[in-house]
């Protein structure tokens, strides 16, 4: 393992990258859980990204992209391979008429803010979501009855060989909390098409949503809403009805504030969260017949 890490580090010398060996992923996830990754690589532009992906492909090294780390649970054993973190120009947001162009690592909340400042309506539901637009595409992130796919006009990606490709709106999947694009693709940029209005309503609405999230959601480390909402009933309501609020396994707990949040009360391990999730699923299925 040491050989390929050294080889990749040398091959990337001079590129616009930062390379770290055995980087603890607990420092990069909102759960604050996760062991070390063999190689952590930060890239700031498409040239450097293409170079890293090409090297990983030629060496047969597995890789992952980590956005804000807000929707992942990483093993305490860590990951064998490379974790990519996009920065630099990938975080830029610009407004062009009724369109918002954002890099793959731009924060969803920042997109809502930029749209509101430009009096563009339609992105308010993204306010307060603690994730990146690239990560959001892998779960079709959303809230209040709307999803990211509803406002997307175009998605630009890079594949494992370093080639770029554009997906138009009609080519994107729109399923609830399911990936909008295929696996093995890195989101480098998105374009959102919104509606221009002559009022401060989008800006005001975004702030209202942020405040609402802050009031109803726990502040302990978590991955946000843990289970997808089934058609019959919101997952949090089902979990609460089964009397599971406050249930703990190790240092993981079903939040007392919102039952669809599993929170890290301090030094929780991967196994704590995983086992607690299984307890919740089993209880809800036994008592309601619904599988989370």
């Amino acid at each position: 393992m040491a050989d390929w890490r050294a080889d990749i580090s040398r091959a990337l010398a001079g590129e616009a990258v930062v390379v770290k060996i055995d980087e603890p992923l607990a420092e990069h996830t909102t759960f604050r859980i996760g062991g070390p990754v063999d190689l952590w690589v930060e890239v700031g532009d498409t040239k450097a990204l293409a170079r890293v992906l090409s090297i990983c492909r030629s060496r047969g090294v597995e890789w992952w992209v980590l956005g804000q780390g807000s929707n992942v649970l990483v093993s305490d054993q860590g990951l064998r391979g490379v974790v990519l973190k996009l920065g630099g120009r990938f975080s830029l947001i610009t407004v062009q008429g009724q369109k918002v162009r954002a890099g793959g690592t731009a924060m969803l909340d920042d997109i809502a803010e930029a749209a509101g400042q430009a009096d563009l309506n339609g992105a308010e539901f993204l306010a307060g979501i603690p994730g990146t637009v690239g990560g959001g595409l892998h779960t079709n992130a959303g809230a209040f009855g709307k999803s990211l796919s509803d406002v997307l006009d175009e998605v630009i990606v890079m594949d494992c060989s370093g080639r770029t490709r554009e997906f138009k709106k009609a080519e994107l999947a729109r399923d609830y909390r399911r990936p909008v694009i295929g696996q093995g693709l890195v989101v480098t940029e998105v374009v959102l098409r919104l509606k221009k209005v002559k009022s401060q309503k989008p800006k005001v609405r975004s702030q209202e949503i942020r405040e609402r999230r802050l009031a109803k959601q726990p502040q302990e480390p978590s991955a946000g809403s843990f289970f997808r909402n089934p058609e019959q009933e919101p997952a949090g309501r089902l979990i609460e009805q089964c009397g599971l609020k406050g249930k703990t396994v190790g240092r993981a707990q079903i939040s007392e504030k919102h039952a669809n949040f599993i929170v890290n009360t301090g030094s929780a391990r991967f196994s704590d969260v995983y086992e607690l999730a299984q307890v919740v699923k089993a209880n809800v299925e036994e008592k309601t017949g619904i599988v989370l």
Side-chain angles (χ1 to χ4, degrees), residues 3 16 26 46 53 56 62 79 99 102 114-115 121 127 152 156 169 184 205 222 229 235 253 272 282:
D3 288 341
T46 53
L53 292 176
C56 287
E62 191 168 7
L79 296 173
K99 293 184 178 181
N121 182 61
L152 285 172
I156 302 169
K169 186 178 182 68
R205 177 59 176 157
S222 74
N229 287 323
Q253 180 187 53
D272 296 338

Side-chain angles (χ1 to χ4, degrees), residues 128 130 212-220 224-225 255 257-258 261:
R212 181 175 173 181
R213 284 183 180 280
L214 187 62
K216 67 182 282 192
Q217 296 182 357
Q219 299 306 302
E220 299 97 329
S225 294
S255 172
K257 193 171 187 179
H258 193 308
F261 279 67

Side-chain angles (χ1 to χ4, degrees), residues 94 115 211 279:
T94 58
E211 293 173 356
V279 169

Side-chain angles (χ1 to χ4, degrees), residues 16 67 103 110 128 141 147 170 178 205 230 270 276:
D110 291 341
S147 298
R178 300 289 182 179
R205 177 59 176 157
F270 169 91
L276 182 54

